[in-house]
């Protein structure tokens, strides 16, 4: 009996004429996620079938597919001959396994007949199979409204029989929405922000600013590891590591203390924008949430946005910190994010940062010093890493 994975996809259905493009992206991403696992990925009538996965890596394949955006759910199914006796025997053995797992099992049969030449129609299959299950397992009941088990039978080139539907990440296939550049710190929020944009089909690149020797090599390694964890959802990520010490020291020597955070954030944005444009990215992404800290008030956000021309996407803008932390745990970045290595933002924090910066004042303070040579030097010394999830450790 051959085991296959039946993959259902989500919003791709809505994309009309673009649908083949979205489907192809999804298939490419599925193949990439299954690297090292022998499998054939086939598309047929709004479904994707993955066949030929050997039993020892079947669960591993499911775990990887749960991270592929664009997949709504997966059902592990038996693909058997369409011969009715085989269909019945397979369906009964599936129910038998479930009966062993729980008492008072309820079920409903869902038949779909794509092969219109099959000798029985969907209603007939529903009725016949339902009857045979009840006859064989007296403790089992039909529940047409809320069955515990949906016994599904699809008659196509073969009969596909399954009873389980594993929910997946949903979203859109990475690569279907263009490219954007994530400002990634070592904190909790920015990896979650990257996750949400990748979920909408964005290909990510990432920029990290570090201030050696104020920040350590371990802080840098932590960011590389966070990027690696993110790449298990987002695919390969190019990570730019920008040396920021000289610029930060110049800000603190030359600008009013209470404005240093906003000016530092503006310069981060400017450098990120230059890198983003050179990379073909159309937007920046940050992990900011409104009101979370002094630099995330509406006034501060306006003052930082003013430094760049391309859009700044802030997928967490309306999130509470608790909810962001829950997501970080869920996607597996939390434990790394809370490692206690300092970020360059936290090294030079002013005692009394301005919470309502006046844009004209900030512009004037920033213009009082010429940062342009330092910006050029920082970009010149930027190191680019290609971070892949398949690397055991990308550092
Ligand atoms: P995070 O948990 O992501 O660090 P945060 O709540 O600590 O966020 P800030 O330190 O104010 O907030 O940073 C806000 C955003 O600025 C971050 O989410 C990230 O997008 C960006 N950012 C902060 N520090 C860096 C850095 N060193 N390199 C690149 N981007 C950064
Ligand atoms: Mg931070």
């Amino acid at each position: 009996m051959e085991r296959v994975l039946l993959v259902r996809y989500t919003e791709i259905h809505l994309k009309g004429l673009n649908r083949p493009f979205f489907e192809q992206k999804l298939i490419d991403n599925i193949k990439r996620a299954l690297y090292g696992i022998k499998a054939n990925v086939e598309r047929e009538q709004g479904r994707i079938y993955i066949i030929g996965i050997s039993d020892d890596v079947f669960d591993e394949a499911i775990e990887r597919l749960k991270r592929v955006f664009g997949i709504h759910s997966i059902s592990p199914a038996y693909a058997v001959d369409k011969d009715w006796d085989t269909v019945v025997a397979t369906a009964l053995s599936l129910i038998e396994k479930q009966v062993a797992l729980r008492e008072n099992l309820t079920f409903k049969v869902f038949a779909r007949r794509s092969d219109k030449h099959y000798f029985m129609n969907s209603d007939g299959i529903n009725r016949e199979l339902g009857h045979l299950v009840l006859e064989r397992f007296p403790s089992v009941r039909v529940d047409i409204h809320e069955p515990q088990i949906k016994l599904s039978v699809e008659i196509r080139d073969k009969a596909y029989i399954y009873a389980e539907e594993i929910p997946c990440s949903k979203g859109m296939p990475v690569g279907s929405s263009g490219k954007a550049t994530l400002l990634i710190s070592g904190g909790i929020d920015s990896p979650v922000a990257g996750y949400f944009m990748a979920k909408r089909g964005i290909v990510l690149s990432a920029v990290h600013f570090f201030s050696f020797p104020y920040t350590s090599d371990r802080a840098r390694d932590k960011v590389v590891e966070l990027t690696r964890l993110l790449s298990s959802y987002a695919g390969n990520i190019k990570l730019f590591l920008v040396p920021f010490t000289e610029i930060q020291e110049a800000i603190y020597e030359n600008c009013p203390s209470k404005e240093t955070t906003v000016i530092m954030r503006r310069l981060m944005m400017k450098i990120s924008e230059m890198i983003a444009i050179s990379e073909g990215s159309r937007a920046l992404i940050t992990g900011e949430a409104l009101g979370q800290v002094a630099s995330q008030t509406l006034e501060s956000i306006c003052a930082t946005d003013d430094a760049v021309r391309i859009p700044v996407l802030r997928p967490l803008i309306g999130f509470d910190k608790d909810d962001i932390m829950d997501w970080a745990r869920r996607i597996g970045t939390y434990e790394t994010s809370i490692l206690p290595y300092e970020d360059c933002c936290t090294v030079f924090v002013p005692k009394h940062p301005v919470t309502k910066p006046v844009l004209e004042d900030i512009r004037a303070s920033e213009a009082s010093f010429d940062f342009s040579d330092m910006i050029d030097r920082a970009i010149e010394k930027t190191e680019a890493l290609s971070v892949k999830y398949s690397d055991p450790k990308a550092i």
Side-chain angles (χ1 to χ4, degrees), residues 185-190 265 292 296 321 343 345-346:
S185 67
I188 294 169
D189 307 334
S190 43
R265 300 195 55 75
Q292 199 189 82
Q296 296 173 23
K321 189 76 184 184
D343 180 53
C345 286
T346 51

Side-chain angles (χ1 to χ4, degrees), residues 4 26 38 72 130 137 153 202 275 286 331-332 365:
V4 306
L26 182 56
K38 208 169 133 279
H72 179 271
F137 304 102
V153 177
I202 292 274
I275 293 172
T286 74
I331 68 174
S365 304

Side-chain angles (χ1 to χ4, degrees), residues 189 261-262 265 286-302 304 314 316-317 319 321 324 354-355 357:
D189 307 334
T261 304
V262 180
R265 300 195 55 75
T286 74
E288 290 161 298
L290 192 62
Q292 199 189 82
V293 289
S295 63
Q296 296 173 23
T297 62
L298 202 50
E299 290 82 357
S300 298
I301 286 174
C302 292
T304 39
R314 297 180 169 91
L316 307 183
I317 196 72
F319 277 53
K321 189 76 184 184
I324 299 172
V354 56
T355 51

Side-chain angles (χ1 to χ4, degrees), residues 338-373:
I338 59 171
L339 294 172
Y341 312 130
E342 63 299 326
D343 180 53
C344 70
C345 286
T346 51
V347 177
F348 298 84
V349 187
K351 274 215 173 68
H352 302 290
V354 56
T355 51
K356 295 191 174 180
V358 177
L359 185 54
E360 295 313 319
D361 296 350
I362 299 289
R363 280 183 182 161
S365 304
E366 189 181 291
S368 69
F369 185 83
D370 184 3
F371 290 98
S372 51
D373 285 350

Side-chain angles (χ1 to χ4, degrees), residues 5-6 8 58-59 62-63 66 71-76 163-169:
L5 286 175
L6 195 156
R8 289 178 205 84
F58 206 78
D59 291 341
I62 293 174
E63 284 310 309
K66 280 186 187 170
I71 299 182
H72 179 271
S73 59
I74 309 173
S75 290
E164 196 186 355
E165 196 172 315
I166 302 165
C168 294
S169 294

